[in-house]
Every structure is written in structure tokens, then in C-alpha cells.
Amino acid sequence: MPALPAWTTAWAQARASTEPAIALLTLYHPQMADVFIARNSENITSRGNVFVKGWFEPNILADGASAPRAQISMSNINRTIGIMLQRLIGPMQATIEVVTPTHPDEPLYRAARLWVRGLQIDQTTITGDLSRQDHDAESCGLVRVTPGRFPAIFRK
């Protein structure tokens, strides 16, 4: 029988224990330094990154036949964060993970490469839509098969 991966052991132990789960949020974009936020009352270090204590709330909006969508809200701690986010060109990406305080390096759950679009920034809150890339909505390339482009097909 093959050995179970480390995350399954951590998940099983977390389900059986009474310790709390901590949600971690990582925001990244080429125009800014990575932002690490822990939904916790203390900072937490996971895989060498210090996640600063803060508040954020992921809300699932739809998970039907279309691509899954969710919304995320976080506090607008100071004005410079909101200004920096408004100046970004293109969407940010986010990763949401759930860890336990005793095993912060082994995520129990991980949702990676989520696009953050439609940012709305006010005095107290930053809100955005989370979605995965919808590969079904992408158009396929169109290549016309002509004798000039594919002469081997049109040989006599």
C-alpha cells in the first residue's frame, strides 16, 4: 500500500484536534512586493514567509455550471495600500490557504492562482472578485488551411 502524502496526515490530525484553523492570503503582482496576510490575532510564519495579522473574508458567490466565483474583502489599513492597488496594471493573483498553528508549513487546503478583478476601494474596505481562469471561454486560434500554407495536403 502506498504511503499517504504529508498533507493528508495533517488534514486528518487537524480534523481530530481542537486547535483552530488559520486562513492565509497571499497577493502577488509583478508591480508590487508580495503581500502576506493571516486571518489571526498574531503574525504567523509559514514556509519562511511572515503572514501579518489582519482581517480578510472570502465569500463564495457561485459554484454552478459556470466557472466558480467568489468575492474577497479586506480592511483598508492605510491609504497607501489602496493607492498602490489602484495603480496596478492588470489583475493581481491570490492564493488562499488554511493551516493550523502547530503545522503552519503544511496547508490543509489551498486555492492557488486566483485572479483578483474588479477592485473596489473605499475608506475602510478593499473588495474584489476572485475567479479562476475560464479556459472554456477562451477562443481557439483560427488557421485557414490553404494550398499556400499547407502544400503537402494539396498534392496531386
Side-chain angles (χ1 to χ4, degrees):
M1 183 165 165
L4 293 173
W7 68 267
T8 56
T9 306
W11 180 82
Q13 290 172 349
R15 297 274 301 185
S17 75
T18 57
E19 67 180 343
I22 300 171
L24 305 177
L25 173 67
T26 305
L27 298 172
Y28 39 97
H29 191 279
Q31 295 177 334
M32 68 177 202
D34 293 351
V35 176
F36 303 101
I37 302 171
R39 188 174 171 186
N40 197 19
S41 59
E42 300 175 352
N43 294 349
I44 187 168
T45 302
S46 177
R47 292 156 296 183
N49 298 318
V50 176
F51 288 79
V52 179
K53 64 181 177 181
W55 173 83
F56 67 92
E57 183 73 36
N59 299 317
I60 297 174
L61 298 177
D63 190 12
S66 63
R69 295 205 174 276
Q71 192 174 56
I72 189 161
S73 301
M74 63 188 90
S75 357
N76 191 0
I77 299 168
N78 71 25
R79 191 173 165 198
T80 57
I81 293 172
I83 292 171
M84 177 187 67
L85 292 177
Q86 286 178 331
R87 291 183 179 167
L88 295 178
I89 298 171
M92 283 188 299
Q93 284 195 340
T95 298
I96 297 175
E97 299 170 309
V98 177
V99 298
T100 59
T102 56
H103 295 78
D105 294 336
E106 298 176 6
L108 306 175
Y109 173 78
R110 178 179 166 92
R113 290 182 263 166
L114 300 170
W115 293 100
V116 182
R117 293 188 168 101
L119 283 178
Q120 297 174 358
I121 302 168
D122 63 18
Q123 300 297 327
T124 59
T125 310
I126 300 170
T127 306
D129 296 327
L130 291 176
S131 63
R132 290 204 182 256
Q133 186 172 359
D134 188 6
H135 295 288
D136 293 338
E138 292 182 10
S139 60
C140 292
L142 177 65
V143 177
R144 295 193 185 273
V145 180
T146 61
R149 285 192 179 161
F150 300 96
I153 296 176
F154 292 95
R155 285 189 181 168
K156 291 184 179 179

